[in-house]
Amino acid sequence: MSFIEIKGLSKIFLQGNQKIYGIRNANLSIEKGTFMSVIGRSGSGKSTFLNLVGGIENPTSGEVFFDGKSIHQFKDKELTKFRNQHIGYVFQQYHLLKELTVLENIRLPLDIGRKAYDHSYEEELLDLLGLKDRTDFYPSQLSGGQQQRVAIARALITRPDLILADEPTGNLDKQSGDQIIRFMKETNRLFGLTYIIVTHNKEIADYTDREITIDDGEIINDIDLLDVRENEVIK
Ligand SMILES: Nc1ncnc2c1ncn2[C@@H]1O[C@H](COP(=O)(O)OP(=O)(O)O)[C@@H](O)[C@H]1O
Ligand SMILES: [Mg+2]
């Protein structure tokens, strides 16, 4: 079994007595360390897909297996614990707490989980993300790109196995967006961290190693970009 196995996954939303398909019968295997993107039009089901994989939403049918365990079978408490241990989230709107400094924001998941700080890992992240001289700043004193880098450090501080990112570059100019995706790729490479990145930006998606396309709730395309690039070099 792969790191993540998605089997027959569907989500139907009820709007009055109208059924709206968020996701229709998705089947997918994702290996550990995959750097993957999810593209598709607005309303196609990308966020729903991400929320199902992260256990934020429950499917109508089907399952998500994480290291062989079906996450939607967990009780609420187990699911929260599982999410805190294994998954980091990055959103379009950075969701930083404005009354906390950069360092306090980054350490927040450890404080909530009552975990000890790992100072050398913290230094490594601050260094990688270019935040070393910003640790005492407040979010309002940072650029959008810097705020998103803080959000990434906060997602990584608990050493998760999987990062789920929903339009992480959606609010950023091209240069800051490119920088964010490079940071993500670097931490993917260094820590073997698996990424699923939702984006409607094809250039961002092309930077990843595997690209799936969702249309009207359905996975209609699944491309191994590593393979594509290798063949381009040979040609
Ligand atoms: N809570 C909800 N209730 C009803 N419909 C929803 C809900 N969340 C999403 N949807 C519908 O599911 C579809 C997919 O939405 P979403 O996953 O947010 O798309 P995307 O992220 O690709 O823009 C859309 O038609 C949307 O209106
Ligand atoms: Mg969305």
Side-chain angles (χ1 to χ4, degrees), residues 13 15 20-22 41-49:
F13 297 106
Q15 200 72 282
I20 298 168
Y21 269 90
R41 289 180 295 186
S42 176
S44 56
K46 303 181 299 297
S47 295
T48 305
F49 175 78

PDB file of all heavy atoms in Angstrom, residues 13 15 20-22 41-49, ligand 1:
ATOM      1  N   PHE A  13     -22.665  17.341  -1.545  1.00  0.00           N
ATOM      2  CA  PHE A  13     -23.254  18.382  -0.697  1.00  0.00           C
ATOM      3  C   PHE A  13     -24.737  18.464  -1.027  1.00  0.00           C
ATOM      4  O   PHE A  13     -25.105  18.396  -2.202  1.00  0.00           O
ATOM      5  CB  PHE A  13     -22.611  19.743  -0.971  1.00  0.00           C
ATOM      6  CG  PHE A  13     -21.144  19.805  -0.651  1.00  0.00           C
ATOM      7  CD1 PHE A  13     -20.194  19.824  -1.667  1.00  0.00           C
ATOM      8  CD2 PHE A  13     -20.708  19.848   0.666  1.00  0.00           C
ATOM      9  CE1 PHE A  13     -18.835  19.884  -1.375  1.00  0.00           C
ATOM     10  CE2 PHE A  13     -19.359  19.917   0.966  1.00  0.00           C
ATOM     11  CZ  PHE A  13     -18.419  19.929  -0.055  1.00  0.00           C
ATOM     12  N   GLN A  15     -27.865  20.789  -1.190  1.00  0.00           N
ATOM     13  CA  GLN A  15     -28.291  22.191  -1.197  1.00  0.00           C
ATOM     14  C   GLN A  15     -29.808  22.162  -1.360  1.00  0.00           C
ATOM     15  O   GLN A  15     -30.307  22.039  -2.469  1.00  0.00           O
ATOM     16  CB  GLN A  15     -27.591  22.894  -2.370  1.00  0.00           C
ATOM     17  CG  GLN A  15     -27.522  24.385  -2.268  1.00  0.00           C
ATOM     18  CD  GLN A  15     -26.528  24.825  -1.212  1.00  0.00           C
ATOM     19  OE1 GLN A  15     -26.806  24.783  -0.022  1.00  0.00           O
ATOM     20  NE2 GLN A  15     -25.352  25.267  -1.640  1.00  0.00           N
ATOM     21  N   ILE A  20     -25.069  18.265  -4.885  1.00  0.00           N
ATOM     22  CA  ILE A  20     -23.922  18.846  -5.586  1.00  0.00           C
ATOM     23  C   ILE A  20     -22.713  17.959  -5.332  1.00  0.00           C
ATOM     24  O   ILE A  20     -22.366  17.692  -4.178  1.00  0.00           O
ATOM     25  CB  ILE A  20     -23.621  20.270  -5.076  1.00  0.00           C
ATOM     26  CG1 ILE A  20     -24.815  21.191  -5.355  1.00  0.00           C
ATOM     27  CG2 ILE A  20     -22.362  20.820  -5.725  1.00  0.00           C
ATOM     28  CD1 ILE A  20     -24.736  22.519  -4.654  1.00  0.00           C
ATOM     29  N   TYR A  21     -22.115  17.478  -6.412  1.00  0.00           N
ATOM     30  CA  TYR A  21     -20.930  16.649  -6.259  1.00  0.00           C
ATOM     31  C   TYR A  21     -19.705  17.522  -6.021  1.00  0.00           C
ATOM     32  O   TYR A  21     -19.341  18.326  -6.878  1.00  0.00           O
ATOM     33  CB  TYR A  21     -20.698  15.777  -7.499  1.00  0.00           C
ATOM     34  CG  TYR A  21     -21.381  14.436  -7.382  1.00  0.00           C
ATOM     35  CD1 TYR A  21     -22.682  14.251  -7.824  1.00  0.00           C
ATOM     36  CD2 TYR A  21     -20.713  13.362  -6.808  1.00  0.00           C
ATOM     37  CE1 TYR A  21     -23.309  13.023  -7.697  1.00  0.00           C
ATOM     38  CE2 TYR A  21     -21.334  12.122  -6.674  1.00  0.00           C
ATOM     39  CZ  TYR A  21     -22.629  11.960  -7.123  1.00  0.00           C
ATOM     40  OH  TYR A  21     -23.236  10.752  -6.991  1.00  0.00           O
ATOM     41  N   GLY A  22     -19.111  17.372  -4.841  1.00  0.00           N
ATOM     42  CA  GLY A  22     -17.820  18.021  -4.582  1.00  0.00           C
ATOM     43  C   GLY A  22     -16.732  17.210  -5.237  1.00  0.00           C
ATOM     44  O   GLY A  22     -15.911  17.725  -5.986  1.00  0.00           O
ATOM     45  N   ARG A  41     -10.556  24.270 -12.676  1.00  0.00           N
ATOM     46  CA  ARG A  41     -11.292  25.535 -12.630  1.00  0.00           C
ATOM     47  C   ARG A  41     -11.832  25.819 -11.232  1.00  0.00           C
ATOM     48  O   ARG A  41     -11.934  24.918 -10.419  1.00  0.00           O
ATOM     49  CB  ARG A  41     -12.480  25.463 -13.601  1.00  0.00           C
ATOM     50  CG  ARG A  41     -12.078  25.497 -15.055  1.00  0.00           C
ATOM     51  CD  ARG A  41     -13.297  25.411 -15.925  1.00  0.00           C
ATOM     52  NE  ARG A  41     -13.960  24.111 -15.760  1.00  0.00           N
ATOM     53  CZ  ARG A  41     -14.997  23.707 -16.472  1.00  0.00           C
ATOM     54  NH1 ARG A  41     -15.511  24.504 -17.392  1.00  0.00           N
ATOM     55  NH2 ARG A  41     -15.537  22.534 -16.294  1.00  0.00           N
ATOM     56  N   SER A  42     -12.241  27.027 -11.023  1.00  0.00           N
ATOM     57  CA  SER A  42     -12.898  27.400  -9.773  1.00  0.00           C
ATOM     58  C   SER A  42     -14.187  26.595  -9.640  1.00  0.00           C
ATOM     59  O   SER A  42     -14.927  26.444 -10.615  1.00  0.00           O
ATOM     60  CB  SER A  42     -13.181  28.904  -9.821  1.00  0.00           C
ATOM     61  OG  SER A  42     -13.887  29.264  -8.679  1.00  0.00           O
ATOM     62  N   GLY A  43     -14.428  26.030  -8.466  1.00  0.00           N
ATOM     63  CA  GLY A  43     -15.638  25.241  -8.242  1.00  0.00           C
ATOM     64  C   GLY A  43     -15.543  23.801  -8.709  1.00  0.00           C
ATOM     65  O   GLY A  43     -16.528  23.059  -8.663  1.00  0.00           O
ATOM     66  N   SER A  44     -14.342  23.364  -9.159  1.00  0.00           N
ATOM     67  CA  SER A  44     -14.209  22.001  -9.696  1.00  0.00           C
ATOM     68  C   SER A  44     -14.089  20.946  -8.593  1.00  0.00           C
ATOM     69  O   SER A  44     -14.270  19.760  -8.849  1.00  0.00           O
ATOM     70  CB  SER A  44     -13.011  21.927 -10.644  1.00  0.00           C
ATOM     71  OG  SER A  44     -11.832  22.339  -9.992  1.00  0.00           O
ATOM     72  N   GLY A  45     -13.760  21.380  -7.377  1.00  0.00           N
ATOM     73  CA  GLY A  45     -13.677  20.414  -6.278  1.00  0.00           C
ATOM     74  C   GLY A  45     -12.292  20.287  -5.644  1.00  0.00           C
ATOM     75  O   GLY A  45     -12.063  19.380  -4.838  1.00  0.00           O
ATOM     76  N   LYS A  46     -11.390  21.210  -5.965  1.00  0.00           N
ATOM     77  CA  LYS A  46     -10.008  21.114  -5.475  1.00  0.00           C
ATOM     78  C   LYS A  46      -9.931  21.216  -3.946  1.00  0.00           C
ATOM     79  O   LYS A  46      -9.281  20.405  -3.300  1.00  0.00           O
ATOM     80  CB  LYS A  46      -9.139  22.221  -6.115  1.00  0.00           C
ATOM     81  CG  LYS A  46      -9.131  22.195  -7.624  1.00  0.00           C
ATOM     82  CD  LYS A  46      -8.244  23.279  -8.198  1.00  0.00           C
ATOM     83  CE  LYS A  46      -8.626  24.707  -7.859  1.00  0.00           C
ATOM     84  NZ  LYS A  46      -9.963  25.130  -8.380  1.00  0.00           N
ATOM     85  N   SER A  47     -10.600  22.224  -3.387  1.00  0.00           N
ATOM     86  CA  SER A  47     -10.548  22.396  -1.926  1.00  0.00           C
ATOM     87  C   SER A  47     -11.241  21.236  -1.222  1.00  0.00           C
ATOM     88  O   SER A  47     -10.775  20.760  -0.186  1.00  0.00           O
ATOM     89  CB  SER A  47     -11.206  23.719  -1.516  1.00  0.00           C
ATOM     90  OG  SER A  47     -10.468  24.798  -2.028  1.00  0.00           O
ATOM     91  N   THR A  48     -12.355  20.790  -1.798  1.00  0.00           N
ATOM     92  CA  THR A  48     -13.061  19.644  -1.218  1.00  0.00           C
ATOM     93  C   THR A  48     -12.136  18.436  -1.173  1.00  0.00           C
ATOM     94  O   THR A  48     -12.044  17.743  -0.156  1.00  0.00           O
ATOM     95  CB  THR A  48     -14.321  19.314  -2.046  1.00  0.00           C
ATOM     96  OG1 THR A  48     -15.122  20.495  -2.138  1.00  0.00           O
ATOM     97  CG2 THR A  48     -15.127  18.197  -1.427  1.00  0.00           C
ATOM     98  N   PHE A  49     -11.424  18.205  -2.258  1.00  0.00           N
ATOM     99  CA  PHE A  49     -10.471  17.090  -2.336  1.00  0.00           C
ATOM    100  C   PHE A  49      -9.436  17.192  -1.217  1.00  0.00           C
ATOM    101  O   PHE A  49      -9.189  16.238  -0.477  1.00  0.00           O
ATOM    102  CB  PHE A  49      -9.794  17.091  -3.713  1.00  0.00           C
ATOM    103  CG  PHE A  49      -8.714  16.067  -3.860  1.00  0.00           C
ATOM    104  CD1 PHE A  49      -9.028  14.731  -4.073  1.00  0.00           C
ATOM    105  CD2 PHE A  49      -7.374  16.424  -3.766  1.00  0.00           C
ATOM    106  CE1 PHE A  49      -8.032  13.774  -4.194  1.00  0.00           C
ATOM    107  CE2 PHE A  49      -6.378  15.481  -3.892  1.00  0.00           C
ATOM    108  CZ  PHE A  49      -6.702  14.144  -4.097  1.00  0.00           C
TER     109      PHE A  49
HETATM  110  N1  LIG B   1     -20.192  23.355   2.195  1.00  0.00           N
HETATM  111  C1  LIG B   1     -20.665  23.261   0.960  1.00  0.00           C
HETATM  112  N2  LIG B   1     -22.008  23.187   0.733  1.00  0.00           N
HETATM  113  C2  LIG B   1     -22.523  23.083  -0.515  1.00  0.00           C
HETATM  114  N3  LIG B   1     -21.765  23.031  -1.620  1.00  0.00           N
HETATM  115  C3  LIG B   1     -20.426  23.093  -1.466  1.00  0.00           C
HETATM  116  C4  LIG B   1     -19.814  23.235  -0.180  1.00  0.00           C
HETATM  117  N4  LIG B   1     -18.454  23.281  -0.347  1.00  0.00           N
HETATM  118  C5  LIG B   1     -18.261  23.214  -1.683  1.00  0.00           C
HETATM  119  N5  LIG B   1     -19.420  23.093  -2.351  1.00  0.00           N
HETATM  120  C6  LIG B   1     -19.576  22.959  -3.816  1.00  0.00           C
HETATM  121  O1  LIG B   1     -18.729  21.919  -4.274  1.00  0.00           O
HETATM  122  C7  LIG B   1     -18.110  22.258  -5.490  1.00  0.00           C
HETATM  123  C8  LIG B   1     -16.591  22.233  -5.329  1.00  0.00           C
HETATM  124  O2  LIG B   1     -16.195  23.299  -4.476  1.00  0.00           O
HETATM  125  P1  LIG B   1     -14.658  23.531  -4.081  1.00  0.00           P
HETATM  126  O3  LIG B   1     -14.061  22.245  -3.652  1.00  0.00           O
HETATM  127  O4  LIG B   1     -14.613  24.641  -3.101  1.00  0.00           O
HETATM  128  O5  LIG B   1     -14.020  23.983  -5.485  1.00  0.00           O
HETATM  129  P2  LIG B   1     -12.603  24.667  -5.825  1.00  0.00           P
HETATM  130  O6  LIG B   1     -11.753  24.630  -4.602  1.00  0.00           O
HETATM  131  O7  LIG B   1     -12.050  23.861  -6.971  1.00  0.00           O
HETATM  132  O8  LIG B   1     -12.898  26.059  -6.279  1.00  0.00           O
HETATM  133  C9  LIG B   1     -18.670  23.631  -5.885  1.00  0.00           C
HETATM  134  O9  LIG B   1     -19.749  23.431  -6.759  1.00  0.00           O
HETATM  135  C10 LIG B   1     -19.139  24.191  -4.559  1.00  0.00           C
HETATM  136  O10 LIG B   1     -20.194  25.101  -4.749  1.00  0.00           O
END
